[in-house]
Structures are given as C-alpha cells and as structure tokens.
Amino acid sequence: MLTSLALIFLVGLSMGAISKKLRLPRIVGMLLGGIVLGPYVLDILDPSILGISAELRRMALVIILIKAGLALDISDLKRVGRPAVLMAFLPAVFEIIAFVLLAPTVLGINRVEAAVIGAVLGAVSPAVVVPKMVQLMEDRYGIEKGIPQMILAGASLDDVFVIVLFTSFVGMAQGNAVDLMSFLNVPVSIVLGILTGALVGFLLAMFFELCHRRGNTIRNSTKVIVILGTAFLLMALEEVLEDYVSLSGLLAVMSMASVVQMKCDKAVVSRLSEKYGKLWIAAEVILFVLVGAAVDIRYTLEAGLGAAAMIFLGLAFRSLGVWLCMLRTSLNWKERLFCVIAYLPKATVQAAIGGVPLALGLPCGSMVLSVAVLSIIITAPLGAFGMEVTYKRLLVHEEF
C-alpha cells in the first residue's frame, strides 16, 4: 500500500505539473495519471488501496468542503438564494429529459433505461467544481454577485437530488413501483443536513470560545484536527441514519464549517482556511488520481459515437437549464456563460454509481457504465479547462 501511495502522490503531482506547463488544469493530468496507474492500464496500484478508494475520495471531498464552508459568506449566499436553489435540480432535470427523449433513438434503449443513464450523468462533479469556486472566492472573482457561492451551493445540493432520482429509476428498471417517499427524502435530506451541521458548528465555536476564556487556548493545528474529526462523524451519521431518515453529510460538513466561520475570530478563521489549503494539496492528488483509477477506458470503446453524441446533447439541455436558472438575476451574459461552463464537469458521482446497474444485473448495465466513463473523460477536462481559461474574462475581479 505504501508503494501505491507513493506512486499516487509522485505521479499525480508530476502529471499535474506537466498539465500546468501545457496550460491545462492540473486535475486533467492527475486524472490521466490515475487512468494509467489503475487496474485497466498498468495495474500497479495495490488492490487494498483500490478497495478503500471510495472512502479516500470522500475524505478528500470533506477537506475541500470544510475549506469551502470557511470561505462561504452566508450574506452573499442569501442574495442569490433563488438561483442557487434552482441550480440544485433544474439543470439535472433538463439533462435527464434529454436522455429520456433522445437516448431511445440514439442508443437503442427503452425510456426507463434512458432515465437511469440520465440520472447517472445528471450530477455535476463537486470534486471538480468546489475547489475552483473556493479559489475564485479567495481571489475575489465574481463575489459581489455571489457567483462562486451560488455555484458552490448548487453543486453541493444537486448530488442529493440526482442520487434519489437514480435510486428510483433503478427500482423502476428492476420492475419495482416508484417510491414517492424517496422523493420526499430530497428536501428532508437537505434541511436536516444544513440544520445538523449548523448546530454542530455552533457547538464547536462555543467550545473553542469557552476554552479560550478559561485560558486553555486550543492551537489552530488542533482545531483543524477537531473540525476534521467532527466532519468525518457527520459523514458517518448519514450512513447510520440512512435506514430511518435522510441526511446529507456533505451539506452538514459545509454548514458546520460555515457556522464556525461566522462565530470564530476572523484571524483564526483565516489561519484555519490556510491550513486546510495545505491539506488540500495532498487530498487533491488522492481524489483525482483515484477517480482516474476508477475509469475503465475499455468501456469507452463499447460506447461508440452514439454515446458521445448523447453526452453532448445532454450537456446542451443541461446548459439551457442553467441559463433558465439565471433569469431575472443581475448577472450579465458573460457571468451566465461562466455558470454554464462551471456546470459541465462530471467525475465523482459518475465514478461512484456508474457501475451500480451492471452490478445489479440490469440489461442496460454495460451501456450505463460505458456512457458514465465516457462522460468523465469528456466533461471533466472540458469543464475544468473551460473554467480555468474563462474566469478572468467572464467574471469581475473585486478589489479588497
């Protein structure tokens, strides 16, 4: 396992540096490095580390979501509340509609199977989007109109919505009736996640303040560990409660960090954010290399041109959904175009659930996995590169 970790870090960092030299986003190189190291090309990563790949990717996401929460200004988010809520479901709905309407003709599958594929592809990738939005908030691009905050919130919320739809469509493909309660779980999961995280964040801030008043000041490095450990518990709480009530662990983590940011001293929050930024250097490599390692490029050959065409048609419908979310806002056409670009990349959710229909023995399983893999290869670099080369031209830079 140690050799595999060494390869992940060294190859990931090297490929990231090469991509940067080529004026490509670092994550493109990391994804390619993961594909090469993974079991479907060179196969030199230890199976034990691949066995816990999903958990490692979730840990990396937790780190960047904490950093996002520490940078998230709630007052800014309130100003863009309606578009952020619409971004959580409308683009995904439009993409699913595209697959339901067009995929039966293009891919030769039935409507339910098309809905399953659409649900797999409907989620934007927080792994690609969240780090970029955090960078934009730190560099003060588009923050006056709350653009990074809006995209950050929407990208964090839409995964919950899409996964519920995916579960329902898979049930339909297996011949089961639609469970209406699963749709009710969407708002429940969101609200409980936010409220639970806010309560935990408030208690953490009070604990830090109480220790400070009693002269037992906790070092910032220790606070980083305490907050990180608490975030892992929130993620575990989601799994513990899943048989009883839905709770979004990712939203709880970001909500917790946001409340800590509001309640703690600004200088302390700045230092905590800086330390999480350093943790993200390692977490980023682990996240994207392991996402790449999960990509079986053999399935891209099976997918064919029809699958590629459907992916781009889905993106076109998705972009229309994003544009509709921006109606009656103060955003100009450049800022709206950036929002469309930011909602293109797919990676983590597709890598996580793309193989589920195949594992369940559904007839469409191989097709679902093929399209999911191809969507990662096409859209993750496309979205990451698109954001990287356009944000300075499309967003307004705010001075301190």
Side-chain angles (χ1 to χ4, degrees), residues 72-375:
L72 187 62
D73 190 330
I74 299 298
S75 61
D76 288 340
L77 190 57
K78 287 179 180 177
R79 293 205 309 267
V80 293
R82 180 184 61 84
V85 173
L86 291 176
M87 293 277 276
F89 68 91
L90 198 58
V93 168
F94 269 69
E95 189 162 11
I96 292 170
I97 288 173
F99 273 84
V100 172
L101 292 178
L102 304 174
T105 301
V106 177
L107 300 179
I109 56 179
N110 62 44
R111 302 283 182 192
V112 175
E113 292 171 339
V116 171
I117 299 178
V120 170
L121 267 64
V124 68
S125 173
V128 179
V129 174
V130 172
K132 190 62 185 179
M133 295 308 109
V134 173
Q135 179 203 326
L136 294 183
M137 287 189 287
E138 292 176 343
D139 294 344
R140 304 184 67 80
Y141 277 93
I143 61 169
E144 183 180 351
K145 295 183 180 179
I147 294 170
Q149 298 93 319
M150 175 183 65
I151 296 172
L152 179 65
S156 302
L157 289 168
D158 91 324
D159 289 356
V160 179
F161 175 71
V162 167
I163 289 173
V164 169
L165 288 181
F166 170 74
T167 304
S168 299
F169 292 147
V170 166
M172 292 170 62
Q174 291 177 308
N176 301 328
V178 177
D179 183 6
L180 295 179
M181 284 301 296
S182 64
F183 291 96
L184 180 62
N185 283 337
V186 174
V188 171
S189 176
I190 291 170
V191 172
L192 274 183
I194 293 172
L195 292 179
T196 302
L199 175 61
V200 171
F202 179 78
L203 293 176
L204 271 179
M206 292 292 292
F207 172 69
F208 294 152
E209 177 64 23
L210 183 62
C211 290
H212 180 72
R213 288 178 182 175
R214 293 186 175 182
N216 300 319
T217 304
I218 301 176
R219 297 174 59 184
N220 290 325
S221 298
T222 304
K223 289 178 183 176
V224 167
I225 297 172
V226 171
I227 293 172
L228 187 59
T230 306
F232 289 157
L233 287 176
L234 286 173
M235 294 295 291
L237 184 63
E238 177 183 2
E239 297 179 359
V240 170
L241 297 178
E242 65 180 355
D243 292 332
Y244 308 100
V245 66
S246 293
L247 181 148
S248 172
L250 293 177
L251 283 178
V253 169
M254 194 162 65
S255 176
M256 174 197 70
S258 184
V259 171
V260 168
Q261 178 260 138
M262 288 190 295
K263 295 295 182 181
C264 289
D265 181 76
K266 297 300 180 186
V268 172
V269 171
S270 178
R271 288 193 289 271
L272 289 176
S273 183
E274 182 182 349
K275 289 180 182 294
Y276 274 107
K278 293 176 181 177
L279 276 179
W280 174 242
I281 294 172
E284 179 185 38
V285 178
I286 291 174
L287 175 60
F288 290 112
V289 171
L290 289 179
V291 167
V295 172
D296 187 345
I297 59 173
R298 294 174 300 178
Y299 284 104
T300 62
L301 301 177
E302 295 181 13
L305 293 177
M310 265 315 308
I311 289 170
F312 283 107
L313 287 170
L315 290 179
F317 273 67
R318 181 182 192 83
S319 299
L320 176 60
V322 174
W323 198 270
L324 290 177
C325 294
M326 302 297 109
L327 294 179
R328 299 178 64 185
T329 66
S330 61
L331 274 62
N332 59 42
W333 72 268
K334 289 183 178 181
E335 292 162 337
R336 296 182 188 194
L337 178 58
F338 180 80
C339 293
V340 168
I341 294 170
Y343 251 55
L344 294 180
K346 307 169 190 301
T348 40
V349 175
Q350 289 70 31
I353 66 175
V356 171
L358 183 62
L360 293 175
L362 295 180
C364 63
S366 180
M367 175 63 73
V368 173
L369 184 55
S370 300
V371 178
V373 169
L374 190 60
S375 73

Side-chain angles (χ1 to χ4, degrees), residues 7-51:
L7 288 171
I8 287 171
F9 283 122
L10 296 176
V11 173
L13 287 172
S14 299
M15 293 294 289
I18 292 170
S19 289
K20 196 171 182 180
K21 287 287 186 182
L22 297 174
R23 298 186 180 277
L24 294 171
R26 282 160 40 89
I27 69 164
V28 174
M30 294 177 189
L31 285 169
L32 291 175
I35 292 173
V36 172
L37 292 175
Y40 309 110
V41 182
L42 295 182
D43 191 18
I44 55 177
L45 293 180
D46 194 309
S48 60
I49 205 164
L50 294 174

